[in-house]
Amino acid sequence: MHQRTKIAVAVTLAMSAMSAFAQTAEPVSAAPAADSMQKVEVTGSRIKRAAAEGSLPITVVTRAQLEDSGQTTLAEFIRTSTFSTTGQFRPQSGSSAQAWSGANLRGLGSSRTLVLVDGRRVAKAPNVGDAADMNSIPMAAVERIEILTDGASAIYGSEAIGGVINIILRKDFDGVYAMVGKTNPEITGGDREEASVLFGLTGEKGRFIAGASRTSRDIIYVRNYPWGAAKGASSYGNAFYAAADDGAGGTFPNISAAGFRGNAGACTDAERGFYVAANGRCVYDFNLVAADEAATATKSVFARAEYNISPDFTAYLNASNTNNTSFGRFAPVPDSILVNAGSPGNISRTPDQDVYLAHRFAAAGNRDTSTDGNLTDMTVGIKGTVAGFDVDVGARRTVSKIVETGRGFVVKGLATTAINSGAYNIANPFANSEQVLRSITTTTGRDSKFAQSEIYATATHDLFAMAGGTSALYVGAEHRKEVYADIYDSLSEAGEVLGSSGNSASGDRKVDAVSAEWTLPFTKTIEGNLAARYEKYSDYGSDFSPRASVRWAPTRTITLRASVNRGFAAPSLPLITSKPSFSADAVIDERHCLADGGYTAAECVTEPFQINGLRIANPNLTSEKSKQFSFGGAWDVSNALTIKADYWNTEITDVLSFIDAQTLVNRDNGEDSRPVPAGLSVRRAANGTILQVVSGTTNEGILKYSGIDAAATFTHRYATLGRFRHDLQISRMLKAETNGVDFNGDFGQPKQRITLNNSWAVSAMGLSGIDFSYNINVIGKNGKEDEELRVGSYVTHDVQLTYAPSFLKGFKASIGAVNVGGRLPTLVTDDTKPFNYDLFDAYGRQVYFRLEQKF
């Protein structure tokens, strides 16, 4: 049994008290009968039906819940979901995906989480190539979010292993709406602004809605964090060390000890980051200038139109354009430069020997990276009824482009030459002329594109009557073409730019798919569902994904459900199309060492050698495969209280895994019993010397995950107080292991996440138009008891007060605070960031206001 946190106990007791109190509360009105409900398409199925509990676990997030959260972007909201077990990547300075935010359900990865807009897949972000960018979808355009926490490849195809996030856009809106908002975090920096306008009208011949929105967040510098005042000690300051040294500086002290202490550009210039550490080493304070969080801004315009051509046919058009920009700053470039014996630049204490200079090129400026991305999405189609078939035929074109520009980067070859010749003044770097600095620096560039063209046709038809209703069949066909390119500048691609590298990739693929779904209402209480999808890829092969599910409602208040399915995730275009890149890998290999000579047998088992490495896009890649099942149900305890619970189990085989050079060498030697994967290799000479190690990604390994999701909704109202609603969501991970190794509960892998959302529509003391919300968010402890990488449970509280006065029709004002207690993350990390960046943030208390007006 796991030890429950105090907050979990408190939440349980609170919900128990609410259930007991329900008898005295005035219940809300019962939902309308299923037969009177409008049929809609629910995520996980292509067959429209009444919006009641189905055979799959689906969580619906309403527009009101989005607004009550205090979040300004979809990415930020999804990150707070209990289904985002391990958090998700968010915009960060200096990253190759600086402005990107992924969605990561169950901790299975963003490449195994499918993101849809109105049931159609979102194009992948070109700077990652294998997942959608949640920042590309404006929150102002969203009506609701449906989260399917089960495998869905049988309906949607690749990547729907971890689950599906289906974002439903607004369609029915009349009038004009405008909103502005601002958020001020407790920390300096990170301020958020938001604004949107919406226009809509509905008539006999159709409906139209259009809008625009803008959101932004300021950059956050490390120095502004509570811990940012501490100096960041980087050994890359301005110090010589021997060629045989490990860089600790024992043989050759820093140059200030060689007589340069008094020079402004050496180690006494604290304002520029250089200082002498306690060990006498010249070091650099990277916290002085670096930013952890990038500045981001998003501008979107969107429109949807429907026109009733006839009583049987409707034409529709969806169009949107989103522009994402970002700015990030990293500390100046560090590197070790070989300074030759006798060269003018060798001003070390032993100028007659080769030495290394551990140097920070602060005089050349900070590394500044800007990105400018643009996503255009357009869909046209026609839907209607033909001979009893409900049909939908359409075409879609999505193009995502990102241009990245970097400044302040140093070309190693040019810098090495300038230092050795004495043209670059080591003793006083800031005395170097602009001409000298420009001669060793470069502007980096990266152009990325992901274009997706799609045509689709679907048909649904009622087949025959059964005891429980009418059996219906859905069939669909799709053709999709994906074109991908991620091109780095030639110097970065060649590895000549310090602090910047990249491996260009480009290619395209065609995907053809057919799918079918069949509902079988055996009785009034039992309904079965069969679904299957076949996809053929032009570059690696094909996949078939079947699913069977059943829903049983033994009483009017209890619904039980179960499903079993198979899924897949196709290898991404970056994995298949990346250009080969050379790498100088360090490996320990006794055979190579002994053949090289000069070492004893004992030394050869510990001495690393640099070998010729080549990293490739493995031509033998195929898709990951999954086996999944789930079961659970919902119980309407009363009109006021509903409880849901589901168990899920996922096993992924043929996992796409990167195999490094050392692992390949170990396998080649038999130290690792697993074979060298097809497409990868270790080439040796006759005497055992390694000529080349070809590393890359292969299909290998098994992942096993399982867990339980539980939820409860309690609504009650009182004539003298108002209406109350409480939504409790708990996600508990039971198993997480790779190749039989358990990592459930490890650092960054919390077993449990909880949210409790409370709202109160006030009607006390004659007041009206006042709404109050209070949310509790819990991230469970993670990290083993006996390990340093361990953090305790993390609890934050959000509040919001909204006022819509009756004397100002259509006006609403909101004020609130996210993380009202100002909780900061525990400073424990296994990365360059000081805390787990995917799970937590360091904004502290975030006070916001929002003004809305509808005409």
Side-chain angles (χ1 to χ4, degrees):
M1 293 180 63
H2 70 280
Q3 182 179 3
R4 293 185 293 179
T5 63
K6 292 181 180 180
I7 188 64
V9 174
V11 167
T12 304
L13 292 175
M15 291 305 297
S16 299
M18 292 175 191
S19 299
F21 194 61
Q23 295 179 356
T24 63
E26 179 185 342
V28 298
S29 300
D35 291 340
S36 66
M37 292 183 180
Q38 180 183 6
K39 289 188 176 183
V40 296
E41 184 177 308
V42 180
T43 302
S45 174
R46 292 294 192 185
I47 297 177
K48 293 185 177 182
R49 66 195 70 197
E53 283 295 331
S55 59
L56 299 174
I58 297 172
T59 298
V60 178
V61 179
T62 65
R63 179 73 201 178
Q65 289 172 308
L66 288 173
E67 294 173 350
D68 288 347
S69 70
Q71 306 295 345
T72 58
T73 67
L74 285 180
E76 292 171 336
F77 179 83
I78 293 296
R79 188 167 164 266
T80 65
S81 165
T82 62
F83 306 125
S84 296
T85 310
T86 60
Q88 62 195 41
F89 189 95
R90 59 194 181 92
Q92 46 193 278
S93 180
S95 167
S96 61
Q98 181 170 277
W100 178 74
S101 283
N104 180 9
L105 297 181
R106 309 295 197 199
L108 292 173
S110 57
S111 63
R112 303 188 187 104
T113 299
L114 183 61
V115 180
L116 308 172
V117 170
D118 287 336
R120 295 288 163 187
R121 62 177 54 229
V122 177
K124 296 177 176 62
N127 51 350
V128 294
D130 63 357
D133 182 7
M134 296 300 295
N135 289 326
S136 66
I137 307 165
M139 185 181 282
V142 178
E143 177 63 32
R144 68 183 185 275
I145 304 173
E146 296 178 354
I147 304 176
L148 171 61
T149 50
D150 195 11
S153 290
I155 299 296
Y156 302 114
S158 178
E159 297 133 52
I161 292 178
V164 176
I165 299 174
N166 191 7
I167 298 159
I168 310 300
L169 302 181
R170 288 176 163 179
K171 299 175 179 65
D172 292 308
F173 181 81
D174 279 299
V176 178
Y177 167 86
M179 182 272 290
V180 294
K182 185 175 179 60
T183 302
N184 289 319
E186 189 174 3
I187 189 174
T188 300
D191 291 6
R192 293 184 300 178
E193 294 182 351
E194 56 180 323
S196 63
V197 293
L198 198 65
F199 166 78
L201 55 88
T202 302
E204 293 183 0
K205 297 297 292 183
R207 53 187 176 177
F208 174 78
I209 185 172
S213 69
R214 185 184 188 278
T215 61
S216 64
R217 184 188 287 277
D218 287 347
I219 196 169
I220 299 180
Y221 290 98
V222 176
R223 61 177 180 263
N224 291 325
Y225 288 126
W227 55 85
K231 291 182 176 180
S234 167
S235 59
Y236 290 96
N238 209 16
F240 286 103
Y241 64 92
D245 195 5
D246 62 0
T251 306
F252 297 97
N254 60 73
I255 61 171
S256 62
F260 303 103
R261 184 181 297 277
N263 289 284
C267 295
T268 56
D269 197 343
E271 290 186 0
R272 287 167 167 158
F274 292 96
Y275 67 98
V276 180
N279 63 0
R281 184 80 187 254
C282 179
V283 297
Y284 182 78
D285 177 15
F286 49 79
N287 284 346
L288 188 66
V289 296
D292 264 357
E293 186 136 349
T296 59
T298 301
K299 294 179 289 186
S300 299
V301 292
F302 49 88
R304 178 183 175 89
E306 292 185 7
Y307 180 72
N308 300 323
I309 302 173
S310 70
D312 293 327
F313 286 99
T314 299
Y316 59 88
L317 166 69
N318 290 336
S320 66
N321 180 269
T322 300
N323 175 249
N324 282 323
T325 58
S326 73
F327 172 79
R329 171 164 290 174
F330 241 33
V333 175
D335 200 58
S336 291
I337 302 296
L338 178 62
V339 184
N340 298 319
S343 70
N346 192 338
I347 56 175
S348 69
R349 287 185 169 180
T350 57
D352 57 340
Q353 297 181 25
D354 288 349
V355 293
Y356 280 98
L357 174 67
H359 186 59
R360 180 75 61 161
F361 289 91
N366 302 305
R367 283 173 286 174
D368 291 343
T369 302
S370 301
T371 66
D372 190 345
N374 210 64
L375 172 66
T376 302
D377 191 347
M378 179 173 289
T379 303
V380 294
I382 185 170
K383 57 185 178 181
T385 302
V386 179
F389 287 84
D390 292 333
V391 298
D392 187 357
V393 179
R396 186 179 182 204
R397 172 70 172 172
T398 307
V399 180
S400 181
K401 295 180 179 180
I402 297 178
V403 176
E404 179 181 290
T405 304
R407 293 179 172 84
F409 290 85
V410 174
V411 181
K412 184 165 185 174
L414 298 177
T416 301
T417 299
I419 288 173
N420 276 274
S421 68
Y424 181 91
N425 185 349
I426 301 172
N428 192 351
F430 290 97
N432 286 295
S433 67
E434 283 296 315
Q435 182 179 2
V436 169
L437 296 176
R438 285 198 299 268
S439 72
I440 64 171
T441 58
T442 186
T443 297
T444 62
R446 180 184 178 192
D447 291 321
S448 305
K449 175 183 177 180
F450 197 104
Q452 184 173 284
S453 302
E454 176 184 10
I455 55 174
Y456 56 88
T458 70
T460 307
H461 185 59
D462 291 341
L463 296 180
F464 46 79
M466 299 181 68
T470 302
S471 175
L473 177 69
Y474 158 88
V475 292
E478 300 173 23
H479 173 78
R480 186 172 76 249
K481 183 177 181 180
E482 299 174 347
V483 179
Y484 165 74
D486 190 16
I487 309 300
Y488 287 81
D489 66 274
S490 58
L491 286 175
S492 296
E493 190 173 26
E496 288 296 316
V497 181
L498 299 179
S500 174
S501 63
N503 187 24
S504 296
S506 63
D508 61 76
R509 64 167 37 144
K510 295 179 181 178
V511 184
D512 293 298
V514 292
S515 58
E517 184 181 357
W518 187 15
T519 59
L520 298 164
F522 296 109
T523 69
K524 291 291 185 181
T525 62
I526 300 176
E527 179 183 279
N529 183 283
L530 299 174
R533 184 181 179 98
Y534 173 81
E535 287 197 359
K536 182 179 180 182
Y537 284 73
S538 60
D539 47 13
Y540 82 86
S542 60
D543 282 282
F544 177 71
S545 301
R547 185 187 73 192
S549 61
V550 62
R551 180 180 68 89
W552 177 37
T555 72
R556 290 179 61 87
T557 61
I558 296 177
T559 300
L560 302 178
R561 56 184 172 233
S563 71
V564 59
N565 64 83
R566 292 179 178 269
F568 74 99
S572 66
L573 281 171
L575 287 179
I576 291 178
T577 65
S578 293
K579 293 180 180 179
S581 62
F582 293 95
S583 60
D585 297 315
V587 300
I588 296 176
D589 179 60
E590 186 176 7
R591 293 165 62 189
H592 180 90
C593 178
L594 293 174
D596 185 84
Y599 295 91
T600 66
E603 291 173 329
C604 280
V605 297
T606 60
E607 185 66 28
F609 273 79
Q610 192 174 80
I611 53 90
N612 177 23
L614 182 67
R615 299 186 181 183
I616 66 166
N618 191 344
N620 295 287
L621 291 182
T622 186
S623 60
E624 297 180 329
K625 306 293 194 300
S626 70
K627 298 178 182 178
Q628 299 170 272
F629 68 89
S630 67
F631 59 84
W635 178 25
D636 295 325
V637 181
S638 68
N639 287 338
L641 177 63
T642 299
I643 298 174
K644 300 179 183 180
D646 291 278
Y647 169 83
W648 59 275
N649 186 291
T650 299
E651 178 181 306
I652 305 173
T653 57
D654 295 333
V655 175
L656 292 165
S657 307
F658 178 77
I659 311 298
D660 61 27
Q662 185 65 65
T663 301
L664 292 170
V665 168
N666 292 344
R667 295 187 185 189
D668 184 62
N669 287 330
E671 299 168 16
D672 186 330
S673 60
R674 292 171 293 179
V676 173
L680 309 181
S681 64
V682 178
R683 295 197 301 112
R684 296 182 184 270
N687 64 354
T689 300
I690 295 176
L691 300 177
Q692 187 181 60
V693 176
V694 179
S695 58
T697 299
T698 191
N699 293 97
E700 181 177 280
I702 300 176
L703 296 176
K704 294 182 179 180
Y705 292 80
S706 66
I708 293 176
D709 297 318
T713 299
F714 179 49
T715 56
H716 50 113
R717 64 166 58 131
Y718 311 90
T720 58
L721 292 177
R723 185 179 68 254
F724 296 81
R725 180 184 174 99
H726 314 275
D727 291 287
L728 174 68
Q729 183 81 43
I730 302 174
S731 294
R732 175 74 179 180
M733 187 75 75
L734 300 178
K735 176 189 288 186
E737 66 177 45
T738 177
N739 299 325
V741 178
D742 178 26
F743 58 88
N744 192 23
D746 284 359
F747 179 71
Q749 300 282 334
K751 293 183 179 180
Q752 185 169 268
R753 294 195 66 165
I754 304 171
T755 60
L756 176 59
N757 301 326
N758 309 278
S759 63
W760 175 23
V762 181
S763 61
M765 297 176 292
L767 297 175
S768 63
I770 298 176
D771 294 285
F772 178 75
S773 64
Y774 168 44
N775 304 327
I776 303 173
N777 311 285
V778 182
I779 299 175
K781 63 182 180 181
N782 54 98
K784 296 295 194 294
E785 298 285 348
D786 57 346
E787 295 179 350
E788 292 184 4
L789 292 176
R790 172 177 165 76
V791 298
S793 295
Y794 183 82
V795 184
T796 58
H797 307 264
D798 311 329
V799 296
Q800 178 178 280
L801 179 66
T802 299
Y803 181 42
S806 58
F807 57 86
L808 291 175
K809 186 177 180 180
F811 177 79
K812 184 167 68 173
S814 303
I815 185 171
V818 175
N819 188 11
V820 68
R823 180 73 183 270
L824 292 174
T826 304
L827 299 183
V828 176
T829 185
D830 60 354
D831 198 0
T832 57
K833 305 293 184 183
F835 57 89
N836 187 320
Y837 225 62
D838 289 352
L839 276 172
F840 310 112
D841 62 58
Y843 303 135
R845 182 185 304 106
Q846 304 169 65
V847 178
Y848 64 89
F849 75 87
R850 187 180 296 130
L851 303 177
E852 303 171 66
Q853 179 68 57
K854 182 179 179 181
F855 302 95

